[in-house]
Amino acid sequence: MVYRERRRRRRRRQTRSPSLGHYCSTASVDQHPTPLLRSPSSAQMSAQSKASITKNDYFKQDWRRGEKIQTLQYIFMKWMMCFFIGLLVGLVGFCNNLAVENIAGTKFVVTSNMMLARRYTTAFLVFASSNFGLTLFAGLITAFIAPEAAGSGIPEVKAYLNGVDAPAIFSLRTLFVKIVGSISAVSGSLVIGKAGPMVHTGACIAALMGQGGSKKYGLTWKWLKYFKNDRDRRDLVTCGSAAGMAAAFRAPVGGLLFALEEMASWWRSALLWRAFFTTAVVAIVLRALIDVCLSGKCGLFGKGGLIMFDVTSANSAYHIWDVPPVLFLAVFGGIWGSLYNFLQDRVLRIYNRINERGAAYKIVLALAISIFTSCLLFGLPWLASCRPCPSDTSEPCPTIGRNGNYKKFQCPPGHYNDLASLFFNTNDDAIKNLFSKDTDAEFHHLSMLIFFITCFFLSIFSYGIVAPAGLFVPVIVTGAAYGRFIGMMFGSHSTLNHGLFAVLGSAALLGGSMRMTVSLCVIILELTNDLLLLPLMMLVLLISKTVADTFNGNIYDLIMRLKGFPYLESHAEPYLRQLAVCDVVTGPLQLFSGIEKVGNIVHVLKTTGHNGFPVVDEPPLSHSPVLFGLILRAHLVELLKKKAFIRDPVPAGSDAFNHFSADDFAKKGLDHGDRVENIQLTDEEMDMFIDLHPFCNTSPYTVVETMSLAKALVLFREVGLRHLLVIPKVSGRVPVVGIITRHDFMPEHVLSLHPSLAKSKWKRLRFKLPPLVKLF
């Protein structure tokens, strides 16, 4: 009777709480409250985060029993995992490039041979049908096996490292489609790149390797149990993303800085060392495989490909009168980069409407882009006039049967088509041609302008189709054409050769689109192996980023916003300081008693999408209502599955420890775990009880309801929380008045509750576009 009366009193309370699960219920956000932490001291960080993975009695008991040998195993396994991640990502990156160069190279050789025989119609049909088939294959496996593999993958990984776990982004089928689909799509002459998919591939490899104890893939080795928490898995994914970028460009330091500057939301010195070790392994693996290719055992691959890229320019000295052309290039590079982001955003919105209609529409769209691309790549070189081969070239002219700077196309002997040298090559080889030194007289002004405009728009329309596609390489090749064209314009007023202008043009467009500085600078320097360009590179990146920031955001943030990822920025909007935490808490709060009826738990789990529930003790378990802790949905499902029930509402005591262990409450791999709908319970079991006390996190993070929402956001993001309990300012009320989740910090949610703040919403100082442009 006492228990029933307590239940009736609790139902009569009118409390407020957030509508949890708006994104969590569809995107399966990780269900650990503190997956990642960051603090000034790495030693403090290790102790704090280890103690806050689950924080229930089972974890505490298992932690106290830990021996020194287990700590050594944990440290050893961390470094071993980083080694294998670097090894596998390096191998995948090499094989990826090897496959693209040989598949695309064979296609170009066959087409060129038919051109030599003056069978132009047959050559076009072979070229277009090859691209059509490769794009069709990439679209089919992406649409029907792993739709999550479409696109770059960098926005998904970046959102995951911020705390958003979208479904199936790191599954085994996603990894397979990402590798095979990227090879097929890039080989199909689409203006897309491999760098973004390589970052996603590295993250997939790291996430799959960290599935300690996952029965789904047979990873049940007891040493892997140490990684059954969000913090260690996010560390591994960070190392994997750094390794992917390092493998894409053979830039180990650049890959590390890319993960630090663009990807990770939480960083610490220990992670820095492991990521550096991972990228170093990638560099060693690629260096060893390069030696194999130099011996001629890689088919058409040879020395091609960006991971083999080396454009050393011994004569890169510059003077003060070279700075004005570089400043001009940087300013307009920022403008072009912001325009690129604007158009890409609009095109992706249109593609989303088409793709929502089904897989058939996705594939038709991809095939239409493939046919359009083939027509342009084959038809535009006919607009260029044939140019006589230079007498002092170091390679055969015209180039027949291999990659090179001088494509014969339809020209007579002793002549080459400069536009075909760019279009009838892989993107990697086109960049190599543009970056090459001592080739100032190789390309015509009109050819370079045509190539720049074509790549600019094709890269925009090619991204967003149902295939793995990156943005880095298209922006690099487009920027190289832009830089070389600027170099041609200022050729008589500058001592820089056109190849160096192409390098700076790539940096300008990358800075204007990606809005990164340090990592891009190092990546380009590692690509070109030219340290003398560092001052000019820094100047170009800073100016282009600053100019582009006055128009819009970076391309990955725009894509994340289109995908609906609730990404938390590192800064709080000023209008959040005008609100208190209680101003955004909505909806009826779901509470559990310390000893709860099974039927009530099942009902709440089935009717709500919440992932965390406060546990409150009331008389007779306590003298007054008190917040005991927080219990997770996954832990409740585990209790229901194991049927750890008691017949009477009394504490279970120490007997509960005989039925469970700490491993039972660890994260269950990358899948979504068990569902309450799959658990069969009898009517008798539904009337029984569960003692929730041993399974609660007894030290959840809490804030007072009058705390500034901006301060709560900083705490939420910096500590890496999933749930933040709101407690009342005065005593005598219910001990918890709501729960704050990621959704409650989103501008859309806050401004929907307080529309009057929309006028005072802080915005960056950006130029306003004309109304006609906004309608586009």
Side-chain angles (χ1 to χ4, degrees), residues 290-307:
I290 286 174
D291 294 335
V292 176
C293 283
L294 291 178
S295 61
K297 298 180 180 179
C298 295
L300 293 174
F301 185 72
K303 300 179 182 180
L306 276 176
I307 64 170

Side-chain angles (χ1 to χ4, degrees), residues 153 201 204 299 376 392-393 396 407 411 436 494 500 525 551 581 609 730 737:
T201 298
C204 286
L376 288 181
D392 57 346
T393 178
K407 291 289 184 179
C411 294
S436 297
S494 175
L500 296 181
L525 290 177
F551 294 98
V581 169
V730 297
V737 298

Side-chain angles (χ1 to χ4, degrees), residues 440-460:
D440 290 1
E442 180 180 336
F443 300 100
H444 191 269
H445 295 72
L446 182 60
S447 297
M448 194 54 56
L449 182 61
I450 293 174
F451 183 72
F452 165 65
I453 296 175
T454 304
C455 288
F456 185 85
F457 287 101
L458 279 183
S459 61
I460 292 173

Side-chain angles (χ1 to χ4, degrees), residues 704-706 727-731 733 737:
V704 182
E705 60 182 339
T706 55
I727 60 177
K729 184 178 181 180
V730 297
S731 59
R733 299 171 54 189
V737 298

Side-chain angles (χ1 to χ4, degrees), residues 369-382:
I369 296 298
S370 174
I371 295 173
F372 181 65
T373 302
S374 297
C375 293
L376 288 181
L377 299 188
F378 193 89
L380 288 178
W382 293 88

Side-chain angles (χ1 to χ4, degrees), residues 35-112:
L36 290 171
L37 300 169
R38 183 173 64 182
S39 64
S41 169
S42 60
Q44 179 185 357
M45 163 65 204
S46 178
Q48 184 183 8
S49 59
K50 187 175 181 181
S52 62
I53 293 173
T54 55
K55 289 185 180 178
N56 59 21
D57 290 344
Y58 292 89
F59 173 78
K60 293 176 182 178
Q61 187 183 53
D62 184 66
W63 187 33
R64 295 187 189 103
R65 291 199 307 261
E67 300 176 357
K68 185 175 293 186
I69 184 64
Q70 292 178 332
T71 303
L72 294 176
Q73 289 176 354
Y74 176 67
I75 296 174
F76 174 75
M77 284 303 300
K78 273 188 174 181
W79 289 97
M80 285 301 298
M81 295 290 272
C82 291
F83 171 78
F84 285 115
I85 290 171
L87 178 64
L88 291 177
V89 173
L91 290 173
V92 170
F94 176 80
C95 294
N96 190 339
N97 226 56
L98 184 68
V100 169
E101 291 290 325
N102 280 280
I103 294 174
T106 301
K107 174 187 66 180
F108 286 127
V109 168
V110 173
T111 306
S112 298

Side-chain angles (χ1 to χ4, degrees), residues 6 30 137 139 186 190 223 263-264 272 368 417 536 564 603 618 634 684 710:
R6 178 161 48 86
D30 290 352
F137 175 72
V186 175
L190 294 174
W223 279 23
M263 304 299 292
L272 177 68
N417 188 314
L536 291 180
H603 174 72
E618 296 181 349
E684 180 182 2

